[in-house]
Amino acid sequence: MSRRQVNPARQYADGGHARFSNPLHQKSRSSPFLAIGLVLVGALLLLGYSYSGSGGFGGDKALSKVEAQDALPEIGPSNNLIFLSLLLCLEAIVLGLEIMNEESREIDERDVARQLVFEEPQRFEAGKSDLCPPYLVGGDPDGGDFSCSSELQRAIPILRKAYGDSMRKVLHVGPDTCSVVSKLLKEEDTEAWGVEPFDAEDVDGNCKSLIRKGIVRVADIKFPLPYRAKSFNLVIVSDALEYLSPKYLNKTLPDLARVSIDGLVIFAGYPGKQRAKVAELSKFGKPAKLRSASWWIRYFIQSDLEENESASKKFEQTAEKRAYRPSCQIFHLNS
Ligand SMILES: *[C@@H]1O[C@H](CO)[C@@H](O)[C@H](O)[C@H]1NC(C)=O
Ligand SMILES: *[C@@H]1O[C@H](CO)[C@@H](O)[C@H](O)[C@H]1NC(C)=O
């Protein structure tokens, strides 16, 4: 096992939500701090006045006077002022504590709101609420489980037709790789490995066992994959490249090509039909950047990645014959 990704999900999740909730709370924030500031300034002014009144900062004379009186406090108007300013200071502190309290309550409320959002995504419907972050709007029209990793599992028989012997040694890269790898391993004459690019914390026993055997690895795909060149016939990626910026794509895609012999198959979500499950969002934190087919094709051309036309054609023909209509964009590239 090489590098474990240090849970990018959480970082992004918090960032995203902070941005989302800030406008709601800004109003209540500035004025109380202004109040504390004013009270403190008032207290300091009073303190300063009282000292200058009694010659507090005046040095020798005041000191000697105090010493002379055996450090007994002088009873007079300036002491009342000191008392008053101390009172004001105390009030400022109390005010500050109250605000801190309120802020922690706000954070609690935000947590509750977040849980609601993740547990009941169906409450938020397109256009219904301006408070809803854009990536929660939309959702799966069928209301079912959806991800390109599960789409890939449905597509295995068709991939098999299109790639034939090139399905002997397959590497899958993407979330839920344990279930994809398990499915591939059930195919005849297929060996499969997997790379889980995100956390593998709450996985089942079967997945733990695949990880223990080294069949599935948890690895950050922003770094070179822990495999030698040309280790697999086919590398299949799903739901993973959407989370990479072009800068990282420029490193990751050539590396995926490096470890494959016969090609690279990419399953990517369609833009507009944003279907990333909300549960998955909480796992990845950062919303997927769903790109159009023309974006991807332009990107592949720019990066000198060519389409495997024969594989594409065979895949399409088989899909048509079996009335299979993928809910993800599928690209077939040469290594
Ligand atoms: C990625 O690579 C392409 C082609 O090599 C280049 O044109 C593009 O500027 C790169 N993008 C980034 C963000 O580095
Ligand atoms: C294209 O795909 C076919 C399977 O349909 C495979 O046998 C062939 O090696 C691939 N071509 C290249 C250049 O990767």
Side-chain angles (χ1 to χ4, degrees), residues 162-164 166 261-263 308-311 314 333-335:
Y163 283 94
S166 302
I261 303 164
D262 295 325
N308 183 335
E309 282 172 30
S310 98
K314 271 193 236 165
L333 304 177
N334 287 331
S335 298

Side-chain angles (χ1 to χ4, degrees), residues 110-302:
R110 227 178 293 158
D111 281 343
V112 170
R114 187 179 312 174
Q115 275 164 14
L116 277 180
V117 166
F118 286 134
E119 277 161 17
E120 298 184 70
Q122 63 271 32
R123 268 204 200 165
F124 295 92
E125 283 162 38
K128 282 266 172 74
S129 167
D130 292 330
L131 299 179
C132 191
Y135 49 84
L136 289 179
V137 175
D140 181 6
D142 307 329
D145 260 18
F146 183 83
S147 70
C148 287
S149 289
S150 53
E151 183 65 54
L152 157 57
Q153 291 181 51
R154 278 192 289 278
I156 287 174
I158 295 154
L159 284 170
R160 172 132 225 129
K161 272 273 175 205
Y163 283 94
D165 278 351
S166 302
M167 290 281 281
R168 266 198 321 265
K169 286 177 119 187
V170 178
L171 174 71
H172 172 251
V173 179
D176 281 338
T177 196
C178 287
S179 42
V180 175
V181 166
S182 303
K183 188 99 186 243
L184 282 166
L185 286 173
K186 286 191 192 126
E187 293 281 307
E188 245 175 82
D189 303 324
T190 296
E191 285 182 272
W193 288 265
V195 169
E196 169 64 59
F198 305 103
D199 264 341
E201 270 165 17
D202 355 284
V203 295
D204 59 15
N206 172 47
C207 195
K208 283 202 184 98
S209 138
L210 287 172
I211 292 173
R212 213 170 27 243
K213 288 179 196 154
I215 293 173
V216 166
R217 298 189 183 198
V218 181
D220 187 343
I221 59 169
K222 288 192 195 114
F223 297 102
L225 294 168
Y227 301 105
R228 275 192 220 109
K230 301 194 183 299
S231 296
F232 309 97
N233 294 110
L234 204 61
V235 174
I236 309 176
V237 194
S238 59
D239 292 325
L241 302 180
E242 288 93 325
Y243 297 89
L244 296 180
S245 66
K247 183 180 145 211
Y248 284 110
L249 273 181
N250 272 1
K251 292 182 183 148
T252 300
L253 265 176
D255 199 52
L256 291 168
R258 174 185 68 84
V259 299
S260 68
I261 303 164
D262 295 325
L264 195 57
V265 184
I266 295 168
F267 282 68
Y270 279 110
K273 277 199 235 167
Q274 174 113 26
R275 292 183 174 197
K277 265 193 310 174
V278 176
E280 266 169 359
L281 252 178
S282 69
K283 195 159 108 191
F284 309 143
K286 188 181 179 183
K289 187 148 182 60
L290 297 173
R291 291 140 173 160
S292 64
S294 59
W295 189 96
W296 281 113
I297 289 164
R298 207 172 337 118
Y299 182 83
F300 296 144
I301 291 170
Q302 226 178 46

